[in-house]
Amino acid sequence: QQQVKQSPQSLIVQKGGISIINCAYENTAFDYFPWYQQFPGKGPALLIAIRPDVSEKKEGRFTISFNKSAKQFSLHIMDSQPGDSATYFCAASKETSGSRLTFGEGTQLTVNP
Amino acid sequence: ETGVTQTPRHLVMGMTNKKSLKCEQHLGHNAMYWYKQSAKKPLELMFVYNFKEQTENNSVPSRFSPECPNSSHLFLHLHTLQPEDSALYLCASSPSPRGSDTQYFGPGTRLTVL
């Protein structure tokens, strides 16, 4: 059962454009929503995370928007750069001990120069 | 880089072979994880260890056998694998198994089963 659905599967953006990746979750008990970034040949690394008490979190060019009622959250990459080309995974979990991270299917982002 | 190393980086094995994957974390974390990553699929959690004790086995076939001798080392013993087991196997660690603790991933072992 896929509890976190991610779209699109792949995304091509021009340098300087905005990249938007969307995720939807089913389990209303989730209260922690991280995004991981994975470059080829590397393991995923935490990029940014949000908790449902806020609707938006921004770190540099990366912003998470969170809609609790719709059970959706999205990653926005402003002024996208070729170095942002990677696979992005959304995830969700409960903050409590023993809670597993449930990942989305991933989005392969390509930023053309 | 991330403080989590994995060896080997690539492994090709036949269905009757026995091999082991090794993971080592230099971060002082107490929780360690094995994930399977297949193309266009979500990361699949396989096993979770906390203070060397297995706390989760996500219905993984017995041909995968984990071992955690201490909080810094994690092994995945492989035997009589199937071609569909070919994937990238990722090890991760976190300070504790709390859902909100950041997980630090190694670069993975690319496994090919012939």
Side-chain angles (χ1 to χ4, degrees):
Chain A
Q1 181 183 2
Q2 178 57 39
Q3 295 192 53
V4 179
K5 294 187 177 180
Q6 183 173 346
S7 63
Q9 193 173 83
S10 62
L11 180 61
I12 300 175
V13 174
Q14 290 300 118
K15 178 182 175 181
I18 302 174
S19 304
I20 302 175
I21 304 170
N22 301 298
C23 284
Y25 63 97
E26 299 171 4
N27 188 343
T28 56
F30 288 149
D31 55 10
Y32 177 71
F33 303 89
W35 285 87
Y36 278 77
Q37 179 189 54
Q38 184 178 24
F39 292 105
K42 306 286 186 181
L46 179 68
L47 182 64
I48 186 173
I50 196 168
R51 290 177 171 80
D53 53 339
V54 296
S55 61
E56 186 175 284
K57 183 173 182 179
K58 183 176 181 179
E59 290 185 2
R61 295 184 294 108
F62 300 89
T63 300
I64 301 179
S65 297
F66 185 81
N67 185 329
K68 188 174 181 178
S69 61
K71 294 187 289 184
Q72 295 176 346
F73 59 110
S74 60
L75 176 69
H76 296 238
I77 306 175
M78 311 300 288
D79 187 26
S80 298
Q81 299 297 312
D84 297 330
S85 297
T87 301
Y88 293 81
F89 295 92
C90 62
S93 73
K94 294 183 283 186
E95 278 205 68
T96 54
S97 180
S99 175
R100 65 168 66 179
L101 271 176
T102 299
F103 286 89
E105 300 96 327
T107 296
Q108 187 168 346
L109 172 65
T110 301
V111 181
N112 288 328
Chain B
E1 296 177 306
T2 64
V4 180
T5 59
Q6 291 187 242
T7 54
R9 295 293 308 275
H10 300 272
L11 178 62
V12 179
M13 59 187 291
M15 294 169 61
T16 58
N17 292 158
K18 290 184 180 180
K19 297 287 185 182
S20 295
L21 309 184
K22 179 182 177 182
C23 174
E24 183 174 2
Q25 58 97 359
H26 312 274
L27 301 169
H29 291 166
N30 296 313
M32 296 189 78
Y33 312 78
W34 279 117
Y35 285 90
K36 177 182 179 183
Q37 185 175 27
S38 304
K40 296 182 174 56
K41 295 176 81 173
L43 274 71
E44 299 174 48
L45 179 65
M46 300 175 71
F47 302 103
V48 181
Y49 278 83
N50 186 32
F51 288 101
K52 305 188 301 178
E53 299 298 320
Q54 187 180 124
T55 58
E56 185 159 353
N57 176 337
N58 192 22
S59 301
V60 180
S62 59
R63 58 185 183 269
F64 295 91
S65 175
E67 178 189 1
C68 189
N70 54 61
S71 292
S72 298
H73 294 86
L74 186 63
F75 295 88
L76 188 62
H77 304 299
L78 316 171
H79 63 98
T80 59
L81 294 190
Q82 305 299 311
E84 59 264 29
D85 297 323
S86 298
L88 182 69
Y89 288 84
L90 291 163
C91 172
S93 71
S94 64
S96 79
R98 281 179 63 87
S100 57
D101 275 11
T102 299
Q103 293 188 18
Y104 294 81
F105 286 83
T109 295
R110 174 68 62 184
L111 174 66
T112 302
V113 181
L114 302 177

